[in-house]
Amino acid sequence: MKKILLSLAFSAAAVAGAADTWSLDSCISYALDHNLQVRRQAIEQQSGELSVTEAYDRFLPQLSAGASQSWSFGRGLTSENTYANRNTTMTGFNANLSLPLFQGLSAIRQVDYARTRMLQIVEQTESMKDDITLNVIAQYLQVLYAGELVEVAREQAALSAKMLERQEALLEAGKVPEADVLQARAQAAADELTVVTSSNDRSLALIDLARILELDDVDNFDIAPLDGEARPLLIDADEVYRHALQSNHGILAARRGIDVAQKSISVAKTGYIPRLSFTAGLGSSYYSMSGVRSESFGSQIRDNFSKSLGFSLSVPIFDGFSTRNQVRRARVEELSATLALAEQESQLFKNIRQAYYQALSAAKKMEASETATEAARVALEAITYKYEYGKANATEYEQAKTAYIKSQSETVQARYELLLRNRILLFYNK
């Protein structure tokens, strides 16, 4: 039995040695660069940048050029007011310029709207990165927690294996019945199964972390333990919340949402304002008819050349309440954005408070579990001594061992719960 446990330990060490070990910072950095949600949000940010460019382009003039060619066949009216068979050809060229002089402040406000919307998208991108970071931290600690449970299970299996060896020696000396050996052997096998199950749980937790990182190869992936965080100091929840209101990207994105809605109202109101534009055009044509002598192409193009200039004023009088409805819809969006900010602040307050009180509870539980673990260890040593000298039975020994392993597991759970909640508080307080 002991050889089997040593073989498992050496195998695990060999795998760990061959694996690519990642730190928490490297996991976070890789996730922010490769996570699909973050990459999709980056595309959304590029779209926002194009919207800003399009808004500035509204100030530019519109210039177009065109050409036309037409033919006419059959009877037609002549200059003598008679009908005759005539084939005619018509060629035309033109160029037109349209320059917006005053667009009812629409272009200016569209620029403000696009830039504000762009700032909101940037904050939303950073907020998504924050969510990914928290997910990585939580899953990273989950892997470490599962790893410590593996060590607890191995210690339990080692104790059972040692007791089995002791029972087998006593059986050979005729001091214990065979039933005690069978019971010890069954317990040792059950504890070995617990080691396998715990190891599998850690592997699954590691796969979940690799999935967040979008890693293709999980066979050579492993993580390093955290240093210097055995018993972190707690931060006051009110202080964290006050700081988070000024720096949390989710809150900042929600505030930008209100700004975007207000800019949308301003854009909608431009429908009430007149618009003025300037137009200019150049054109010429060539005309020929069968049976009639026509001037040359160059002469006609030169002689028929024309120029035009003009101004166009558009004054909105009644548009079927379209502008009014757009303004009302924009005001509704502003109310919705205001509620979204209130919800975001409420959720942030809840998350921070919850993390703080969970950390307090975990710290108290960790202190109590450490005390219980030490007491259970001393009790186990005492019952082991009695058991070896026949002053305690197997049931009493198993009860003491179970109490010791349970208190160890509770200590590990409380420590990693404290680490996780403290990390969350530190993250919101950054």
Side-chain angles (χ1 to χ4, degrees):
M1 190 69 62
K2 190 173 183 180
K3 292 181 179 179
I4 295 176
L5 291 175
L6 289 174
S7 177
L8 288 173
F10 283 128
S11 298
V15 172
D20 187 10
T21 303
W22 293 47
S23 66
L24 177 58
D25 291 337
S26 61
C27 286
I28 293 174
S29 177
Y30 190 90
L32 295 182
D33 290 338
H34 296 82
N35 186 269
L36 296 180
Q37 293 178 341
V38 175
R39 292 164 64 182
R40 189 183 303 113
Q41 189 64 26
I43 295 175
E44 183 70 19
Q45 188 169 325
Q46 292 179 0
S47 177
E49 294 172 353
L50 289 175
S51 296
V52 174
T53 302
E54 290 175 350
Y56 278 110
D57 291 343
R58 289 169 61 90
F59 292 99
L60 300 177
Q62 300 289 326
L63 178 63
S64 62
S68 62
Q69 177 69 50
S70 62
W71 294 269
S72 177
F73 308 97
R75 295 179 63 81
L77 189 65
T78 66
S79 59
E80 289 83 11
N81 202 26
T82 61
Y83 284 90
N85 290 324
R86 292 286 188 267
N87 296 332
T88 60
T89 301
M90 181 70 178
T91 303
F93 303 94
N94 65 82
N96 298 286
L97 171 70
S98 177
L99 176 64
L101 299 179
F102 181 72
Q103 304 179 62
L105 302 177
S106 175
I108 295 176
R109 294 181 181 180
Q110 283 285 357
V111 170
D112 289 341
Y113 172 84
R115 293 173 63 182
T116 305
R117 173 60 181 154
M118 180 61 198
L119 294 176
Q120 182 191 23
I121 294 176
V122 171
E123 295 297 343
Q124 289 174 341
T125 301
E126 294 302 317
S127 178
M128 180 169 291
K129 290 181 178 180
D130 289 347
D131 293 339
I132 296 298
T133 300
L134 287 175
N135 289 338
V136 171
I137 292 174
Q139 193 58 41
Y140 193 98
L141 292 176
Q142 181 63 32
V143 176
L144 294 179
Y145 168 62
E148 291 219 18
L149 289 184
V150 173
E151 296 303 320
V152 172
R154 285 175 178 166
E155 183 177 356
Q156 182 180 8
L159 290 174
S160 296
K162 181 179 178 181
M163 186 52 60
L164 176 58
E165 291 180 358
R166 174 64 178 171
Q167 290 295 89
E168 289 174 344
L170 292 175
L171 176 62
E172 292 179 1
K175 295 182 179 182
V176 296
E178 186 178 1
D180 289 354
V181 176
L182 295 176
Q183 182 180 355
R185 188 171 297 157
Q187 186 61 47
D191 292 342
E192 285 184 27
L193 179 60
T194 302
V195 173
V196 174
T197 302
S198 299
S199 300
N200 185 61
D201 291 341
R202 184 187 184 277
S203 298
L204 293 177
L206 200 61
I207 290 174
D208 289 337
L209 177 60
R211 186 180 297 113
I212 297 176
L213 271 58
E214 303 295 344
L215 287 178
D216 296 328
D217 182 15
V218 298
D219 294 332
N220 298 319
F221 172 64
D222 204 349
I223 63 173
L226 297 175
D227 297 326
E229 296 194 48
R231 194 182 296 273
L233 298 176
L234 291 181
I235 310 173
D236 182 67
D238 293 331
E239 179 184 348
V240 174
Y241 181 66
R242 285 193 299 269
H243 192 274
L245 285 177
Q246 306 302 322
S247 61
N248 182 262
H249 293 291
I251 297 295
L252 298 179
R255 289 175 182 165
R256 291 294 184 186
I258 297 178
D259 295 339
V260 169
Q262 292 173 346
K263 298 296 183 182
S264 180
I265 295 174
S266 298
V267 172
K269 286 182 177 180
T270 60
Y272 294 120
I273 305 175
R275 285 166 167 74
L276 178 65
S277 61
F278 168 76
T279 59
L282 301 173
S284 187
S285 62
Y286 167 78
Y287 180 82
S288 66
M289 180 183 298
S290 62
V292 178
R293 182 179 179 276
S294 301
E295 295 293 332
S296 65
F297 179 84
S299 297
Q300 289 197 40
I301 291 296
R302 183 176 59 255
D303 295 339
N304 295 337
F305 182 73
S306 63
K307 300 177 287 293
S308 65
L309 298 173
F311 292 91
S312 176
L313 176 65
S314 175
V315 180
I317 298 177
F318 180 72
D319 60 357
F321 299 115
S322 175
T323 300
R324 184 199 66 176
N325 293 335
Q326 290 178 8
V327 172
R328 290 180 176 179
R329 185 177 294 106
R331 292 191 185 280
V332 171
E333 293 176 355
E334 182 185 19
L335 292 176
S336 177
T338 303
L339 291 177
L341 174 60
E343 291 177 357
Q344 193 76 21
E345 290 176 346
S346 177
Q347 186 63 44
L348 178 65
F349 180 82
K350 176 183 176 181
N351 291 342
I352 292 176
R353 282 288 175 178
Q354 184 176 11
Y356 178 75
Y357 287 115
Q358 286 176 334
L360 281 180
S361 176
K364 294 178 181 178
K365 183 178 179 181
M366 180 178 171
E367 183 177 354
S369 298
E370 288 176 342
T371 303
T373 299
E374 180 61 23
R377 184 188 64 79
V378 174
L380 178 60
E381 289 178 353
I383 202 70
T384 301
Y385 178 82
K386 291 181 179 181
Y387 185 63
E388 289 178 350
Y389 288 93
K391 295 181 180 181
N393 56 38
T395 302
E396 291 174 331
Y397 173 78
E398 283 301 325
Q399 289 176 347
K401 187 185 73 172
T402 301
Y404 173 63
I405 296 302
K406 181 181 178 182
S407 61
Q408 273 192 314
S409 300
E410 290 176 348
T411 301
V412 171
Q413 181 183 14
R415 182 167 72 253
Y416 278 98
E417 179 73 15
L418 178 58
L419 283 175
L420 174 60
R421 302 309 167 187
N422 186 72
R423 278 272 181 169
I424 291 176
L425 292 173
L426 288 174
F427 184 83
Y428 284 126
N429 196 51
K430 66 179 182 178

